[in-house]
């Protein structure tokens, strides 16, 4: 079957707030320009019809978006100044802000909120509702929005210029053979391709490696947010209330904290962030969240309520010093894919929107100059540096790195950074931080033995009321993948799983994955059996990948200690179907 090619002018990969804002802003810049030329208000050449496409791997725009979220409206107000009147889906204005320190039994309220967590004037939103709405605004402005289209590969010309992307094939069975409904992916050719894949983008990762765009930067570091929505029986937690917590259940070497946001109709949204640079190989971010809920303060809040939704997603926390070069010939990187998130504030929607807008302004300039090379596209990075994003991110540039010294020194360091304009300990311009997976210690460093792998959570019970196991939670993420397709989680050497990883780390993929995708099971092939008999008295275990559970959080790609897990896009439309997240 022949592969179809479609010529667009600009292709945005990923329908998150960054790219939807970029596409919308670009469509408006072009139409305003054309109108001004036509009515004589401006001199020059009209651009004519500019074909703009946004592709999204989810089954609809919004289906794969998950966030907190308290949104700083600054970005949205620049994109759509009358967003309230236009009907932007806002849950509530933030009405009160609480910051709690949790000990094992107590919740101590801080008399003041740490300045980065001051949310006055902000809005609680559900990101997947907001992106669905932005998608509608894009379509109304003439942008082509294609859900169920994963960007599977970048296309380059012979001079290493990006010339578009190839979307994923459909209808391939788990053996790699074509099914009756086989449809090859389409080559979407574009003058400029914009990668807005969110955190740890699969195409972005490859592009950055191929072109060395992270040279001289700090390694990106990540956290994982695990989240549930709960319906409460009464109005005990009002819409607009925001609570952030520090302390229990994280240990002192694990960056972590909780959030509880009040939504409309007696729904609360709560979650827990665990730094994906933890040391203890037994840590399980999903279990940390379940423990968080079992704290008396949280358990009392949820008593009599019902869990209705679940999801998880990684967060790019490295900040300013970890951002790669964001342009190359024919390509720009926006939003979380480039690391625009402010980890101290746990906010990235406003800067994702702004980055998309700055990309759009640069592409508009490129269309006018008919130059899509780095010479013009580098102006995107200049625009970022001249915008309000730069001072905001520079101020917190060493924030996450501070916490590798432990919780208390981390807080002291973060305080000094705040006073001294982002300098680590108030002195150093740039603090080095290793990649998160390198921070994980071996079992032996913690004195753990192979049969004690559940000891960190031995007190945790999944009661099906307040606390849930992963499989129950994943059911509430409404995940669906066609099971007759190749696994989209490529483990480059499964032998390592059964041997070195089992011994050194106790297969931490079984714990860091919040969706029970990875399981070590007894080997069941005759070859494995023969090898076991020859090599060991213990039955050999092998990796089983339950890929259909995957919620696309990207944690495995990030946290695997040997970096042998490669997350690639599954068939279009597969994945979670988030609602209200
Ligand atoms: C748990 C958590 C809590 C957060 N809390 C807050 C908060 O309170 N306030 C705040 O402002 N920010 C918060 N953030 C951060 C915020 O959500 C992000 O900064 C923001 O969503 C980034 O937008 P984006 O457009 O770059 O990426 P995303 O929102 O991640 O969107 C990327 C889109 O691209 C799609 N995609 C990815 N790869 C491909 C591909 N190859 N082909 C096609 N489509 C693809 C994805 O499916 C997704 O729809 C939080 C994030 C998390 C995870």
């Amino acid at each position: 079957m022949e592969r179809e090619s479609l010529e667009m002018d600009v292709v945005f990969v990923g329908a998150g707030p960054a790219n939807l804002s970029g596409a919308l802003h670009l469509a408006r810049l072009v139409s305003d320009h054309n109108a001004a030329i036509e009515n004589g208000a401006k001199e020059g050449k009209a651009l004519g019809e500019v074909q703009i496409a946004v592709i999204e791997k989810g089954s609809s725009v919004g289906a794969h978006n998950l966030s907190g979220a308290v949104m700083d409206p600054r970005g949205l107000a620049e994109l759509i100044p009358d967003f309230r009147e236009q009907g932007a889906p806002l849950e509530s204005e933030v009405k009160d802000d609480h910051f709690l320190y949790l000990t094992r039994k107590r919740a101590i309220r801080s008399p003041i909120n740490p300045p980065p967590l001051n949310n006055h004037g902000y809005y609680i939103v559900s990101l997947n509702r907001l992106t669905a709405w932005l998608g509608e605004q894009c379509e109304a402005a003439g942008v082509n929005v294609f859900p169920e289209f994963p960007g599977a590969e970048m296309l380059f010309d012979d001079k290493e210029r990006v010339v578009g992307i190839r979307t994923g094939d459909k209808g391939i069975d788990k053996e790699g053979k074509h099914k009756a409904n086989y449809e090859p992916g389409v080559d979407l050719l574009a003058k400029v391709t914009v990668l807005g894949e969110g955190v740890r983008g699969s195409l972005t990762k490859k592009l950055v490696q191929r072109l060395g765009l992270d040279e001289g930067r700090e390694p990106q570091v990540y956290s994982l947010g695990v989240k549930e929505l709960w319906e409460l029986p009464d109005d005990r937690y009002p819409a607009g209330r925001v609570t952030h917590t520090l302390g229990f259940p994280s240990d002192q070497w694990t960056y972590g904290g909780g959030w509880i946001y009040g939504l409309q109709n007696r729904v609360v949204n709560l979650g827990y962030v665990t730094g994906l640079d933890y040391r203890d190989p037994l840590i399980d971010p999903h279990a940390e969240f379940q423990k968080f809920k079992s704290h008396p303060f949280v358990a009392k809040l949820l008593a009599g309520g019902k869990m209705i939704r679940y999801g998880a997603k990684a967060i790019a926390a490295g900040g300013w010093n970890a951002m790669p070069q964001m342009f190359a010939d024919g390509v720009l990187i926006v939003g979380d894919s480039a690391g625009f998130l402010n980890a101290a504030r746990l906010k990235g929607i406003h800067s994702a929107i702004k980055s998309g807008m700055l990309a759009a302004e640069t592409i508009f300039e490129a269309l006018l100059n008919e130059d899509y090379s780095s010479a013009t596209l580098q102006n995107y990075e200049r625009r970022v540096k001249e915008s309000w994003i730069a001072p905001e991110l520079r101020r917190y540039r060493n924030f996450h790195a501070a916490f590798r010294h432990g919780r208390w020194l981390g807080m002291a360091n973060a305080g000094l950074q705040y006073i001294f304009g982002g300098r680590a300990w108030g002195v150093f311009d740039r603090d080095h931080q290793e990649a998160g997976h390198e921070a994980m210690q071996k079992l032996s460093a913690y004195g753990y033995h192979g049969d004690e792998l559940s000891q960190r959570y031995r007190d945790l019970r999944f009661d099906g009321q307040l606390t849930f196991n992963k499989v129950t939670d994943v059911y509430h993420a409404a995940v669906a993948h066609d099971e007759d397709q190749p696994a989209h989680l490529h483990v480059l050497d499964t032998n390592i799983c059964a041997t070195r990883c089992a011994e050194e780390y106790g297969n931490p993929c079984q714990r860091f994955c919040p969706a029970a995708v990875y399981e070590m099971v007894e080997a069941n092939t005759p070859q494995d059996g023969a090898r076991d008999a020859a090599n060991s008295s213990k039955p050999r275990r092998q990796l089983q990948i339950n890929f259909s559970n995957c919620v696309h959080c990207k944690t495995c790609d990030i946290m695997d200690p040997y970096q042998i897990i490669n997350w690639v896009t599954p068939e279009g439309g597969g994945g979670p179907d988030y609602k209200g997240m």
Side-chain angles (χ1 to χ4, degrees):
M1 213 181 277
E2 283 236 330
R3 199 176 285 282
E4 204 186 324
S5 271
L6 264 181
E7 275 199 42
M8 307 298 300
D9 291 292
V10 185
V11 171
F12 289 85
V13 183
N19 264 351
L20 292 168
S21 305
L24 179 60
H25 193 47
L26 179 61
R28 288 179 175 170
L29 286 171
V30 170
S31 82
D32 289 353
H33 170 82
N34 287 347
I37 302 278
E38 203 178 307
N39 66 27
K42 200 171 170 186
E43 285 190 0
K45 209 174 81 182
L47 285 169
E49 202 176 323
V50 172
Q51 287 294 340
I52 305 170
V54 180
I55 61 162
E56 165 57 44
K57 63 180 165 62
S59 57
S60 61
V61 172
H64 287 187
N65 296 114
L66 178 147
S67 189
V70 174
M71 179 182 72
D72 175 346
R74 191 172 190 181
L76 189 58
E78 284 187 20
L79 181 71
I80 305 176
D82 57 348
F83 62 89
R84 291 175 209 80
E85 295 74 17
Q86 293 287 329
L90 308 167
E91 281 290 335
S92 172
E93 207 168 318
V94 174
K95 299 200 178 111
D96 59 337
D97 241 347
H98 300 225
F99 184 74
L100 305 178
Y101 184 80
L102 302 185
T103 65
R104 189 167 283 275
K105 294 262 179 270
R106 295 183 57 213
I108 303 158
R109 183 165 177 190
S110 163
I112 48 156
N113 249 10
L117 290 179
N118 194 343
N119 295 303
H120 182 74
Y122 297 170
Y123 293 90
I124 300 178
V125 296
S126 136
L127 184 61
N128 68 294
R129 286 195 187 125
L130 185 72
T131 45
W133 180 78
L134 283 172
E136 287 164 17
Q137 309 303 306
C138 281
E139 284 184 318
V143 174
N144 305 287
V145 181
F146 300 122
E148 296 203 15
F149 274 88
E153 251 179 81
M154 308 248 16
L155 301 173
F156 295 85
D157 69 7
D158 54 5
K159 296 200 175 76
E160 285 289 88
R161 288 184 300 219
V162 174
V163 293
I165 56 114
R166 175 167 296 169
T167 64
D169 295 346
K170 283 192 172 167
I172 297 188
D173 74 12
K174 56 182 173 224
E175 312 296 340
K177 296 196 193 94
H178 295 178
K179 296 194 273 193
N181 63 345
Y182 172 68
E183 262 179 56
V186 178
D187 284 350
L188 285 175
L189 304 175
K191 293 167 176 147
V192 184
T193 302
V194 187
L195 295 178
E197 301 177 279
V199 64
R200 191 77 162 194
S202 46
L203 296 180
T204 311
K205 175 176 134 178
K206 276 200 189 149
L207 180 81
V208 167
Q209 280 167 358
R210 178 165 173 157
L211 303 183
L213 300 180
D214 56 353
E215 218 175 277
R217 320 288 161 116
E218 291 301 319
Q220 184 56 271
V221 286
Y222 302 86
S223 299
L224 173 64
V226 182
K227 160 174 182 180
E228 288 172 354
L229 296 189
W230 279 68
E231 251 167 25
L232 299 183
D234 51 41
D235 294 330
R236 68 184 77 162
Y237 197 90
R241 175 170 295 170
V242 166
T243 301
H244 288 110
T245 74
L246 190 72
F248 180 87
S250 290
D251 64 44
Q252 107 98 345
W253 295 108
T254 306
Y255 176 90
W259 80 81
I260 309 170
Y261 302 155
L263 315 181
Q264 290 168 19
N265 305 320
R266 304 196 305 264
V267 173
V268 285
N269 137 8
L270 75 163
Y272 201 81
V273 171
T274 299
L276 290 177
D277 46 4
Y278 56 78
R279 296 181 177 195
D280 182 343
L282 297 195
I283 282 186
D284 178 330
H286 171 269
E288 294 286 301
F289 173 52
Q290 301 305 315
K291 274 180 86 171
F292 168 69
K293 286 189 296 170
S294 63
H295 186 278
F297 171 80
V298 187
K300 187 169 165 215
L301 171 70
L302 299 178
K306 184 172 167 228
M307 190 268 283
I308 52 171
R309 287 269 157 193
Y310 171 78
K313 186 156 178 165
I315 299 165
W320 185 254
N321 292 336
M323 294 174 85
Q325 178 179 311
M326 297 168 233
F327 64 88
D329 292 326
V331 66
L332 295 175
I333 312 176
V334 297
D336 275 8
S337 287
F340 275 96
L341 181 130
N342 178 338
R345 300 174 69 208
L346 186 58
K347 285 185 183 55
I349 299 174
H350 65 305
S351 48
I353 292 175
K354 180 70 178 174
S355 73
M357 292 175 72
L358 297 175
E361 286 160 27
T362 310
I363 297 166
F364 177 62
E365 182 189 359
L367 290 165
L368 290 175
N369 295 347
E370 295 184 32
D371 175 17
Y372 312 102
S373 72
S374 294
T376 298
L377 295 187
Q378 67 179 341
N379 288 331
Y380 167 52
E381 223 170 83
R382 176 184 56 73
R383 286 187 166 90
V384 169
K385 287 185 181 143
E386 288 169 5
S387 74
W388 48 257
I389 293 180
E392 176 181 336
L393 291 189
R394 276 188 55 75
R395 176 150 209 190
Y396 296 105
R397 66 191 178 280
N398 292 306
F399 177 79
H400 190 91
F403 287 86
R404 73 185 201 287
H405 305 290
R407 181 185 299 148
W408 299 113
L409 282 177
M411 280 168 64
N413 189 345
L416 287 169
Q417 289 176 19
Y418 186 76
I419 297 165
F420 293 101
R423 291 180 171 272
W425 300 110
V427 180
F428 306 107
D429 185 52
R430 175 166 159 176
D431 201 356
H432 171 67
Q433 175 156 30
E434 67 207 328
H437 68 274
E438 290 172 10
M440 194 194 290
Q441 308 281 302
K442 295 191 174 150
L443 293 171
S444 54
Y446 272 81
Y448 294 137
H449 301 288
D451 45 359
E452 293 172 348
L453 296 187
S454 58
Q455 73 186 44
R456 189 178 167 105
Y457 300 103
R458 61 178 166 257
D459 300 333
L460 179 63
R461 300 277 170 273
F462 300 119
D463 62 11
Q465 300 273 317
L466 174 67
T467 49
F468 304 96
N469 62 23
K470 289 182 186 174
V471 174
T472 309
D473 259 337
V474 168
Y475 172 77
H476 289 88
V479 185
H481 290 93
D482 181 347
E483 300 213 8
D484 190 16
Q485 65 173 303
H488 64 281
L489 301 150
H490 296 177
V491 179
L492 307 179
D493 180 358
T494 47
N495 200 38
I496 290 189
C497 312
T499 54
R500 273 184 69 193
C501 189
E503 196 175 316
E504 293 181 340
Y505 297 99
N507 300 110
C509 55
Q510 301 179 102
R511 295 179 290 280
F512 57 58
C513 169
V517 167
Y518 298 93
E519 236 183 307
M520 293 303 286
V521 296
E522 282 194 13
N524 52 11
T525 63
Q527 295 92 314
D528 286 333
R531 201 165 44 212
D532 299 340
N535 295 341
S536 136
S537 54
K538 277 194 183 173
R540 184 184 164 100
R541 293 166 80 76
Q542 69 183 23
L543 182 66
Q544 174 174 298
I545 302 178
N546 308 315
F547 74 86
S548 53
N549 284 355
C550 176
V551 293
H552 296 204
C553 72
K554 309 287 178 73
T555 301
C556 53
D557 193 291
I558 294 165
M559 201 53 189
D560 164 48
Y562 305 96
Q563 292 292 284
I564 52 169
I565 302 181
N566 195 27
W567 191 103
V568 302
T569 47
E571 194 168 284
D577 187 12
Y578 289 140
K579 295 214 165 29
M581 302 295 269

